[in-house]
Amino acid sequence: MASVWVLLTLLPVAWTCSPQKADYVMVSCFPNAIIANVPECPYGWEIGQLSLGGVCYTGAASGGYFRFIIPDLTPKNHSYCGTTAEYLPGKDPKHIFYNSIVSNDTSLTVRNQPVNYTFSCSYRAAYLVNNAVFSQRVATVYVNNGSLGTFKSQLSMNVFTNSKFLYAKDAPYVIDTSEIGSEVFIGIEAKGLSNRFKVVIGNCWATPTPYSTDKKRWSLILNSCSSDNTVTIFENAKDSRSMFKFNSFRFQRFEKVSTVWLHCEITVCDGERLVCTPSPCSSRTLRSEAEPSGGVLSTEFQIRGTHTVSLERSITSSRRYQYECPLTLRSSPQPPGPPARPPQQRPPSVWCRWCWPVCSV
């Protein structure tokens, strides 16, 4: 009788999650992170029994999936959680990163079929700049769907000419200072995936540097909702393309060349397993901080001009900003010719309500 009691204590009566046949993994190769998703409870394995590279038990349950993230592809961290890297030289050299999601049951008896989801991401070496940030506007999504084969998708973010989203502009994207405040049309599209997968924009923000983690930022989309009336979301999470527009702006003013980087956090959602459409924005409170859920695509806007932009022309947004900073007005050089009438007296400085806490003019 005692031996039967011991056996029962070693074999749990029921699973804490419903086992399912999960013969595929969805991998998103973003410019600065790799995200791997497997359906939750694959063959009965729980989240605490699956590890990244057999090293890190960092998985998290996320909308019907177990998600594992490699957040750092910099050279010093090629070995993040068992990640290995390979460099392939040649006419088109590449960096390839490898890892796997494996099961590990330390109990006396093993009840489930062992799993090993091996995946890799390949990046063109020509895109390696700064801290291993690869091609900013493009990500690759792989879906290994068991016996149905592997599907490869190119996930890209582009600037379009107008609201019809028919023609994409060539990079780099240049905005003249006379066009500050004009509408910018952004389309994010996944090509090569079946209709069951939807592109979901979670968050979009702008920074004055290429780094998406820069604390000097301005939010455009928060948790799939427009941050204010200068941003319009046309489509999101309906199919393989999501689209929105915003009014152009700049961080530093009165400069001949300025740069704004746009970053969007994107998720590829399986529409057959999940409800991909976000809840209506009117029915929920817009939070001041974004809830990260996907990988980040970025693109650069160059703002150029040959003459100073007037204060009235630059401030086109109806937003009210929380920070104020002194802004010195400067006058444009006078063209040759008869002397102009004396300029009107202007105050030496005004308060700019659109500046960031740290201002540079």
Side-chain angles (χ1 to χ4, degrees):
M1 184 67 180
S3 60
V4 173
W5 181 84
V6 171
L7 180 61
L8 290 175
T9 59
L10 292 175
L11 297 176
V13 177
W15 287 292
T16 57
C17 60
S18 256
Q20 59 177 311
K21 181 181 179 182
D23 59 353
Y24 75 94
V25 58
M26 183 166 64
V27 181
S28 299
C29 307
F30 283 93
N32 53 0
I34 298 174
I35 302 175
N37 295 277
V38 296
E40 62 183 0
C41 300
Y43 299 98
W45 295 101
E46 299 175 18
I47 188 66
Q49 298 174 311
L50 297 175
S51 64
L52 182 61
V55 178
C56 300
Y57 292 83
T58 55
S62 176
Y65 285 88
F66 289 161
R67 171 173 296 188
F68 294 82
I69 300 178
I70 302 174
D72 193 348
L73 302 180
T74 56
K76 63 181 180 181
N77 280 326
H78 279 174
S79 59
Y80 180 91
C81 289
T83 304
T84 59
E86 180 183 8
Y87 175 71
L88 299 180
K91 293 183 178 180
D92 187 16
K94 292 181 175 62
H95 291 274
I96 305 178
F97 298 88
Y98 303 89
N99 210 322
S100 59
I101 300 169
V102 297
S103 56
N104 183 20
D105 195 340
T106 57
S107 61
L108 182 62
T109 59
V110 178
R111 297 176 286 108
N112 305 327
Q113 170 185 329
V115 295
N116 185 329
Y117 300 98
T118 301
F119 58 89
S120 65
C121 284
S122 175
Y123 298 87
R124 294 179 61 187
Y127 290 144
L128 187 60
V129 295
N130 296 333
N131 294 324
V133 177
F134 295 90
S135 177
Q136 295 294 303
R137 297 182 299 111
V138 179
T140 306
V141 180
Y142 297 92
V143 180
N144 184 359
N145 201 7
S147 59
L148 298 179
T150 299
F151 300 94
K152 176 182 177 181
S153 172
Q154 202 74 10
L155 185 63
S156 61
M157 179 166 63
N158 293 289
V159 180
F160 287 80
T161 55
N162 53 43
S163 59
K164 294 183 179 180
F165 293 92
L166 296 177
Y167 304 103
K169 294 183 177 181
D170 295 329
Y173 310 120
V174 178
I175 298 176
D176 190 85
T177 51
S178 63
E179 298 175 343
I180 292 293
S182 61
E183 295 179 332
V184 178
F185 299 90
I186 303 295
I188 301 172
E189 184 177 12
K191 295 182 178 180
L193 289 181
S194 63
N195 294 332
R196 63 183 284 184
F197 295 101
K198 318 297 181 184
V199 172
V200 184
I201 302 175
N203 306 288
C204 289
W205 63 99
T207 64
T209 68
Y211 305 106
S212 61
T213 55
D214 194 327
K215 293 183 179 180
K216 187 189 294 186
R217 62 169 63 191
W218 184 250
S219 294
L220 300 173
I221 297 176
L222 279 169
N223 302 321
S224 300
C225 294
S226 303
S227 61
D228 63 21
N229 59 8
T230 67
V231 181
T232 301
I233 301 175
F234 294 104
E235 288 189 9
N236 191 18
K238 292 184 178 180
D239 52 30
S240 60
R241 185 166 73 165
S242 294
M243 299 161 288
F244 70 97
K245 73 172 182 178
F246 66 94
N247 289 355
S248 60
F249 61 92
R250 60 188 301 177
F251 286 97
Q252 296 183 2
R253 308 187 354 176
F254 303 103
E255 295 286 346
K256 290 186 178 180
V257 178
S258 183
T259 303
V260 173
W261 287 80
L262 173 67
H263 313 275
C264 285
E265 186 180 48
I266 310 300
T267 302
V268 178
C269 177
D270 187 348
E272 292 187 1
R273 296 176 47 84
L274 306 171
V275 177
C276 300
T277 305
S279 58
C281 297
S282 57
S283 65
R284 53 194 171 107
T285 303
L286 189 63
R287 301 183 181 182
S288 59
E289 293 186 1
E291 297 177 350
S293 60
V296 177
L297 290 179
S298 303
T299 192
E300 176 187 10
F301 293 88
Q302 297 179 4
I303 301 176
R304 301 176 183 173
T306 55
H307 294 87
T308 304
V309 185
S310 67
L311 180 65
E312 292 78 15
R313 173 178 285 177
S314 297
I315 302 177
T316 57
S317 171
S318 61
R319 305 178 183 179
R320 295 189 64 85
Y321 296 83
Q322 128 183 26
Y323 300 106
E324 293 182 340
C325 54
L327 174 67
T328 301
L329 291 175
R330 304 176 187 174
S331 59
S332 302
Q334 293 292 332
R341 67 175 59 181
Q344 297 179 354
Q345 292 295 322
R346 293 186 178 182
S349 64
V350 296
W351 285 96
C352 162
R353 293 186 176 275
W354 82 301
C355 297
W356 289 94
V358 179
C359 296
S360 178
V361 295

